[in-house]
Amino acid sequence: MEGRHSVAGPWFAVHQVGGGWKTLDEIYLSNGRQTTKVKVQSKVDWEDEHA
Amino acid sequence: MKATGVTMSRLRILFFLLLLGGLSTLSGAESGHGPTRAYPEPHGEQLCASGCALSRHPTPPLTRERYRELRRDYLEKGSQEALDELLYFGPQTRLKLETDRDLRPSARLERLQRELKRERVLVSFRLIDSEGVERVKMPPMNVPLDLRHVFEPLQAQGVQPPEASGTVKRVGLGHIWQRI
C-alpha cells in the first residue's frame, strides 16, 4: 500500500506545559480480531526546565 | 528502461519479500521496528504552524504598531496577556527586540528574552485502554516549535504500529497549542 492515509484524528488541543496527560478523545482500536476502547492522550513538557 | 527477464524475476522475488514484511506487521505482534523518530516535514510555501493539510495557517504578522502596544503593556505595565501574545509571536518578537533601539534593561525584558529562548518541547502521545495498558505509545519526542513532524514508528502492542504527525506552537507563557 503506497502513501499515507489518516485513520484517526487529527486532534487539536492547548496544553499546559508540564500539566501531564490530556485526554483528546476516546476511540475504538482494532487489529481485525479484537476491538477495544482506548483514550487518545498527549502531553507536552519543556525540553529543558532551566531557561 | 525495458526490464529483462532476469530483472523481472528479481523484482517478483523482491515484491514477495516486501509482502511478507507487510504481513508481519499485520500479525498483531509487538512492534519491533526500531525506535520512534521524528522527521520534519514543513509544507506549503510558508512554514505552517497548524500542520493542516488542506489549509495554511501560518502565524499572522506582528505589525510594528501591535509590537509597540505589547511592548508597552508588558514592559511598562507588566500585563500577563501582553507577555502571552509576545510569546505567541515568538520568532517575530525576537526579531523586533533585536532591532528595537528604545529598549532599556529591566527584569521584565530579561524574562521575555529568557522565555523566547525556549524553542523546543517534549511531545508524548499514547492510546491507553481501560486497564491502563498503553496500546500505542510515542515516547517523549524532542521537537522544535512551529514545524510539522512525522513520528514513526510508534510503539504498539497487539496492533499494527501506526505513525503520527503534528505541530506544536507556543501560545502563551505556559501553554502550547498542538495538532496531532
Side-chain angles (χ1 to χ4, degrees):
Chain A
M1 189 185 296
E2 291 190 12
R4 295 180 181 136
H5 56 281
S6 176
V7 294
W11 295 280
F12 299 85
V14 176
H15 292 271
Q16 185 171 357
V17 183
W21 291 105
K22 188 182 183 97
T23 297
L24 310 180
D25 201 352
E26 286 195 50
I27 62 173
Y28 287 95
L29 189 66
S30 177
N31 62 3
R33 296 189 308 274
Q34 294 178 325
T35 302
T36 186
K37 199 168 187 180
V38 295
K39 289 183 180 178
V40 180
Q41 296 185 330
S42 183
K43 65 174 178 172
V44 180
D45 298 282
W46 289 120
E47 173 207 30
D48 182 359
E49 283 301 326
H50 302 287
Chain B
M1 184 188 299
K2 208 173 186 179
T4 63
V6 173
T7 303
M8 286 305 294
S9 176
R10 287 178 180 170
L11 284 173
R12 286 195 192 97
I13 292 171
L14 178 61
F15 173 78
F16 184 65
L17 289 172
L18 287 172
L19 183 62
L20 279 179
L23 285 173
S24 69
T25 64
L26 293 172
S27 68
E30 190 166 329
S31 168
H33 292 257
T36 305
R37 298 190 193 280
Y39 302 92
E41 274 200 3
H43 58 83
E45 293 182 356
Q46 297 168 300
L47 291 180
C48 176
S50 74
C52 292
L54 298 178
S55 59
R56 305 287 184 253
H57 299 292
T59 306
L62 174 60
T63 64
R64 182 183 300 177
E65 293 72 30
R66 186 57 183 155
Y67 165 72
R68 286 176 176 169
E69 289 174 359
L70 294 172
R71 183 189 66 189
R72 180 196 65 230
D73 288 348
Y74 173 59
L75 294 181
E76 295 178 21
K77 302 176 182 177
S79 165
Q80 180 64 45
E81 288 77 17
L83 174 61
D84 284 342
E85 192 167 338
L86 286 166
L87 294 173
Y88 164 78
F89 283 109
Q92 295 186 68
T93 300
R94 207 159 37 231
L95 272 174
K96 289 278 196 295
L97 289 176
E98 286 173 3
T99 57
D100 191 338
R101 299 177 182 177
D102 297 327
L103 290 177
R104 298 290 176 268
S106 68
R108 287 179 184 149
L109 177 59
E110 277 183 32
R111 185 188 191 195
L112 174 59
Q113 291 170 326
R114 188 169 62 242
E115 288 296 332
L116 285 171
K117 287 179 183 175
R118 291 181 183 266
E119 294 180 323
R120 304 187 72 93
V121 291
L122 300 175
V123 179
S124 307
F125 179 77
R126 68 182 183 183
L127 303 183
I128 186 167
D129 68 21
S130 58
E131 296 179 357
V133 176
E134 293 176 324
R135 296 304 189 104
V136 171
K137 180 179 176 180
M138 181 176 89
M141 302 302 295
N142 189 326
V143 295
L145 301 173
D146 302 330
L147 184 61
R148 180 174 178 269
H149 282 76
V150 173
F151 307 101
E152 61 173 348
L154 304 190
Q155 299 165 16
Q157 283 200 39
V159 292
Q160 184 178 0
E163 64 176 44
S165 66
T167 311
V168 285
K169 174 177 173 47
R170 194 170 191 181
V171 292
L173 180 63
H175 291 86
I176 295 286
W177 173 91
Q178 178 190 40
R179 174 206 178 272
I180 190 162

